[in-house]
């Protein structure tokens, strides 16, 4: 800014895609003044990615983004789900902070909100220590006692490691539960999207997650699921069933497109 004072600076916020959430989706059931005076509400994150992959999914499916409904699962180190209707975010699993929602690499995701007071009173932990453990020592890492890296956990699971096996089971069940919850925001389901390092590369996680969604018309094509890794996009559902798409995300491109739109 000092060197190029004339150069326009553009900030693209990961929360902005979720500004279309209806109030019943973004408000917490806490006293109103906490929202009014202190901004305590659900904001959501990974908006750049959910937006990008839902547009790509519509293109791949030959549907209009303005007239289609999607469930999106962004599974990187941070993980979140999103319900997208006619190109707008209608609900998402992260909240005031990225800690809410799914079990992630090192984040616990949803826990009993009383866990803080339980840990403080039984172990004497400070707020800082509890925050650190829930954000940095939990999730896949905490459950497995091994790693936050899904590749390492899949390998360890193959060799019968109980912690890795459990971490993967919890991750997929919690993800399926979140997707089922997100479906409340959709008028119909045109497709389920997997993205992020895990979503783009793990046939195991995709098939285990879909297996939990028994009441949805979802079925995975084994060969297509195995093929869609390392940047290969495409459908992985069985013919005649609801679409399931692997869509590599490209947050950098979406940021560039948003910047271009603003500058024009
Ligand atoms: N082949 C793979 N199989 C399973 N998981 C993978 C594979 N490749 C990458 N991942 C996982 O993707 C996650 C990282 O995702 P990524 O989107 O790169 O993260 P970030 O949120 O930091 O951008 C890690 O858990 C990593 O183990
Ligand atoms: C918001 C968030 O979780 O980001 P990341 O996926 O980079 O952890
Ligand atoms: Mg990422």
């Amino acid at each position: 800014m000092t060197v190029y004072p004339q150069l326009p600076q553009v900030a693209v916020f990961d929360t902005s895609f979720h500004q279309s959430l209806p109030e019943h989706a973004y408000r917490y059931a806490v006293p109103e003044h906490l929202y009014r005076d202190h901004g305590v509400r659900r904001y959501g994150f990974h908006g750049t990615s959910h937006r990008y992959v839902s547009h790509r999914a519509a293109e791949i499916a030959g549907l209009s983004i303005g007239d289609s409904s999607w469930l999106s699962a962004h599974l990187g180190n941070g993980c979140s789900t999103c319900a997208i209707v006619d190109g707008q975010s209608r609900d998402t699993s992260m909240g005031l902070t990225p800690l809410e929602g799914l079990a992630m690499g090192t984040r616990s995701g949803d826990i009993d909100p009383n866990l803080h007071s339980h840990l403080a009173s039984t172990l004497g932990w400070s707020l800082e220590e509890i925050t650190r453990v829930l954000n940095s020592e939990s999730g896949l890492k905490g459950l497995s006692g091994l790693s936050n890296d899904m590749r390492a956990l899949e390998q360890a699971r193959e060799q019968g490691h109980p912690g890795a096996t459990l971490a993967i089971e919890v991750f997929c069940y919690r993800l399926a539960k979140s997707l089922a919850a997100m479906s409340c925001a959709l008028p119909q389901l045109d497709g389920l999207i997997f993205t992020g390092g895990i979503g783009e590369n793990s046939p195991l996680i995709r098939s285990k997650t879909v297996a939990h969604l028994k009441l949805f018309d979802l079925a995975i094509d084994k060969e297509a699921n195995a093929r869609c890794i390392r940047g290969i996009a495409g459908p992985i559902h069985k013919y005649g069933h609801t679409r399931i798409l692997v869509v590599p995300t490209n947050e950098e491109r979406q940021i560039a497109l948003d910047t271009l739109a603003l500058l024009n």
Side-chain angles (χ1 to χ4, degrees), residues 55-128:
H55 278 252
R56 278 289 297 135
E59 277 173 22
I60 292 169
L63 298 173
S64 157
I65 183 64
D67 187 20
S68 55
S69 300
W70 303 93
L71 288 177
S72 165
H74 175 103
L75 312 174
N77 278 301
C79 303
S80 70
T81 57
C82 187
I84 301 139
V85 179
D86 302 343
Q88 293 195 330
S89 173
R90 292 289 168 82
D91 202 355
T92 191
S93 60
M94 284 178 168
L96 176 73
T97 76
L99 188 60
E100 187 177 337
L102 305 176
M104 316 183 201
T106 61
R107 297 189 190 114
S108 63
D110 293 341
I111 41 138
D112 184 333
N114 267 329
L115 183 60
H116 281 75
S117 68
H118 177 74
L119 294 175
S121 59
T122 56
L123 300 177
W125 283 10
S126 67
L127 266 183
E128 290 70 24

Side-chain angles (χ1 to χ4, degrees), residues 46 74 76-78 196-197 249 251-252:
H46 293 145
H74 175 103
N77 278 301
T249 195
E251 291 154 298
E252 294 81 1

Side-chain angles (χ1 to χ4, degrees), residues 9-257:
Q9 305 280 336
V10 177
V12 175
F13 290 91
D14 231 12
T15 51
S16 62
F17 181 56
H18 303 301
Q19 287 297 297
S20 49
L21 256 58
E23 194 166 18
H24 63 252
Y26 73 70
R27 287 289 293 272
Y28 290 113
V30 297
E32 197 265 341
H33 65 89
L34 291 178
Y35 167 66
R36 187 179 5 100
D37 302 333
H38 303 286
V40 175
R41 53 159 285 181
R42 309 185 60 253
Y43 292 98
F45 300 86
H46 293 145
T48 315
S49 177
H50 289 301
R51 176 152 169 242
Y52 177 80
V53 298
S54 56
H55 278 252
R56 278 289 297 135
E59 277 173 22
I60 292 169
L63 298 173
S64 157
I65 183 64
D67 187 20
S68 55
S69 300
W70 303 93
L71 288 177
S72 165
H74 175 103
L75 312 174
N77 278 301
C79 303
S80 70
T81 57
C82 187
I84 301 139
V85 179
D86 302 343
Q88 293 195 330
S89 173
R90 292 289 168 82
D91 202 355
T92 191
S93 60
M94 284 178 168
L96 176 73
T97 76
L99 188 60
E100 187 177 337
L102 305 176
M104 316 183 201
T106 61
R107 297 189 190 114
S108 63
D110 293 341
I111 41 138
D112 184 333
N114 267 329
L115 183 60
H116 281 75
S117 68
H118 177 74
L119 294 175
S121 59
T122 56
L123 300 177
W125 283 10
S126 67
L127 266 183
E128 290 70 24
E129 178 63 359
I130 297 167
T131 302
R132 190 188 67 78
V133 167
L134 295 182
N135 280 280
S136 309
E137 301 294 336
S138 299
L140 296 173
K141 184 181 176 192
L143 276 166
S144 68
L146 190 68
S147 172
N148 63 318
D149 189 311
M150 190 57 91
R151 278 163 298 198
L153 296 184
E154 288 192 19
Q155 270 176 16
R157 175 180 172 274
E158 286 288 307
Q159 289 151 15
H161 189 287
T165 306
L166 176 67
I168 287 173
E169 293 304 320
V170 171
F171 183 88
C172 295
Y173 181 65
R174 292 270 301 263
L175 170 58
K177 251 180 33 166
S178 175
L179 289 166
M182 287 297 138
S183 75
C184 293
L186 301 184
Q188 89 244 357
L189 179 58
D190 289 308
L192 165 61
I193 305 162
F194 283 100
T195 193
I198 299 172
E200 294 166 25
N201 292 295
S202 178
L204 176 75
I205 298 301
R206 297 190 296 237
S207 67
K208 279 186 144 315
T209 302
V210 166
H212 285 302
L213 293 164
K214 293 186 199 71
L215 303 187
F216 292 68
D217 180 39
L218 298 168
I220 282 201
D221 179 301
K222 243 180 149 176
E223 279 173 27
N225 191 29
R227 199 166 52 236
C228 287
I229 53 168
R230 296 199 199 95
I232 297 176
I236 58 166
H237 54 279
K238 273 195 186 141
Y239 181 78
H241 288 265
T242 298
R243 260 182 221 95
I244 308 173
L245 301 175
V246 174
V247 182
T249 195
N250 193 337
E251 291 154 298
E252 294 81 1
R253 183 174 168 78
Q254 186 64 55
I255 291 168
L257 290 170

